Amino acid sequence: MTTTRRTSVRLTQFAHGGGCACKIPPGELEDVLGALSAPLPATAGTPLLVGLATGDDAAVIALPTRGDTPAQAVVSTADFFTPVVDDPYDWGRIAAANALSDVYAMGGRPVLAVNLLAWPRDVLPFELAREVLRGGLQVATEAGCHVGGGHSVDDPEPKYGMAVTGLADPARLLRNDTGRPGMPLSLTKPLGLGVLNNRHKATGERFEQAVATMTALNRDASAAALAAGATCATDITGFGLLGHLHKLARASRVTAVIDTAGVPYLDGAREAVRDGYVSGGTRRNLEWVAPFTDFGTTDADTRVLLADAQTSGGLLVAGEVPGAPVIGELVPGGPHTLVLR
């Protein structure tokens, strides 16, 4: 469903990009981060279980056990971005759900978040910032996660998100490097958020199905994946399905085969691609994965949608998740990390 909502301030017009489409391109980011991994000595006492090496969704350390205390791991992440919608309350909700998603993508539960806010204080009224923060608090409360303050800066461009700390069972993590041949691939939210958000920014049309998808927590999907015995997952955000799946397949040393006919899309997504509402971030995603992908006979619009920069997208799980469509499988590694059929 699409509606047009008139607002006195259109937040998306104050941003050069929108949501996770404003991420630094994945290839450029990997060039920057490539030499920055510096593990602590074993005497540090808190082993790093997941770090920079595989480009996973969050960092994870193991807490030392004492006596009968069950083993626990701490999951740490941060995520923030420019306005993806004009409504400040919805933007806050979306940004919080997106930040919390990284913890769910690792198989954890978020327990504490702090706000990250950049605000053009001489341009936009603080009443709007309050609504953004209220939206973030509402979603964190829904997740059972405390919000304990945060940090703010005066910035020409509005940005909002959260740094989130979660807890997980170190023996039951969801990682992007544990995929094995024969595992099916399940996707828990439809694609198309990026192109619908880009259309919203350009026209002011409001896509209720996109807002509902972006504000939905990945909590239940994460729990269902763990209950099904899954060990491998990632969430689909700014690098698109193809980008995040490429990282998973590369880290797991397998090839991912996608059944393009099985991939779900939001209503209006194909029309948005047809009408040209494709972000630069999405095009950069497609350019990045192209050398690693056998596109087969997949048409150009479908390629764009598979690379579409999602904001607060679903989980991609190596395994079957009840209620989620299976969109492909992992097979032994070949000349490409991605194959489209």
Side-chain angles (χ1 to χ4, degrees):
M1 185 175 90
T2 63
T3 60
T4 301
R5 175 182 291 186
R6 294 186 179 276
T7 58
S8 57
V9 177
R10 293 203 58 209
L11 285 174
T12 56
Q13 304 309 298
F14 290 84
H16 74 283
C20 290
C22 67
K23 277 188 172 183
I24 293 173
E28 295 177 22
L29 189 61
E30 289 191 346
D31 289 342
V32 171
L33 297 177
L36 293 182
S37 181
L40 291 172
T43 54
T46 51
L48 183 67
L49 301 181
V50 181
L52 279 174
T54 61
D56 218 325
D57 296 297
V60 184
I61 62 168
L63 293 179
T65 57
R66 292 182 175 86
D68 296 330
T69 303
Q72 281 193 310
V74 173
V75 184
S76 182
T77 185
D79 211 312
F80 63 97
F81 46 66
T82 53
V84 67
V85 292
D86 290 325
D87 186 287
Y89 179 68
D90 283 346
W91 175 31
R93 295 164 64 213
I94 292 164
N98 183 74
L100 295 167
S101 179
D102 284 339
V103 175
Y104 294 130
M106 301 303 300
R109 60 180 181 89
V111 295
L112 176 64
V114 291
N115 291 307
L116 304 172
L117 178 70
W119 202 256
R121 49 186 292 274
D122 293 329
V123 178
L124 291 175
F126 274 117
E127 289 79 3
L128 295 180
R130 184 183 299 114
E131 282 298 288
V132 175
L133 294 171
R134 186 171 73 89
L137 178 61
Q138 188 276 323
V139 165
T141 300
E142 180 186 345
C145 178
H146 294 287
V147 178
H151 184 68
S152 62
V153 295
D154 186 354
D155 193 296
E157 189 175 52
K159 304 175 183 72
Y160 174 65
M162 288 178 163
V164 186
T165 300
L167 295 175
D169 181 343
R172 301 185 69 220
L173 292 175
L174 298 173
R175 306 172 54 130
N176 72 355
D177 62 351
T178 53
R180 298 293 179 263
M183 290 181 172
L185 293 169
S186 301
L187 182 64
T188 67
K189 287 185 184 181
L191 303 182
L193 292 163
V195 290
L196 292 179
N197 288 337
N198 214 35
R199 187 166 202 151
H200 168 71
K201 179 176 180 176
T203 68
E205 294 174 83
R206 180 178 165 87
F207 297 91
E208 299 291 350
Q209 72 274 28
V211 173
T213 298
M214 290 186 287
T215 55
L217 293 171
N218 281 326
R219 174 184 53 199
D220 294 346
S222 178
L226 289 171
T231 62
C232 180
T234 188
D235 66 344
I236 306 304
T237 55
F239 301 151
L241 173 66
L242 294 183
H244 289 285
L245 183 52
H246 164 63
K247 291 174 68 175
L248 184 153
R250 182 180 63 184
S252 297
R253 300 176 183 271
V254 296
T255 290
V257 179
I258 301 174
D259 173 14
T260 57
V263 178
Y265 301 102
L266 288 164
D267 290 344
R270 283 198 174 274
E271 291 79 2
V273 174
R274 178 199 64 198
D275 295 340
Y277 296 104
V278 180
S279 70
T282 291
R283 297 196 185 281
R284 288 189 292 272
N285 288 342
L286 191 57
E287 181 181 0
W288 179 57
V289 299
F292 314 106
T293 306
D294 176 359
F295 289 104
T297 59
T298 306
D299 64 87
D301 285 359
T302 298
R303 297 184 190 189
V304 167
L305 284 168
L306 293 173
D308 189 37
Q310 306 297 279
T311 297
S312 193
L315 298 186
L316 180 70
V317 180
E320 292 196 42
V321 178
V326 172
I327 65 164
E329 65 175 333
L330 300 180
V331 300
H336 299 92
T337 56
L338 303 174
V339 175
L340 309 188
R341 291 180 178 165

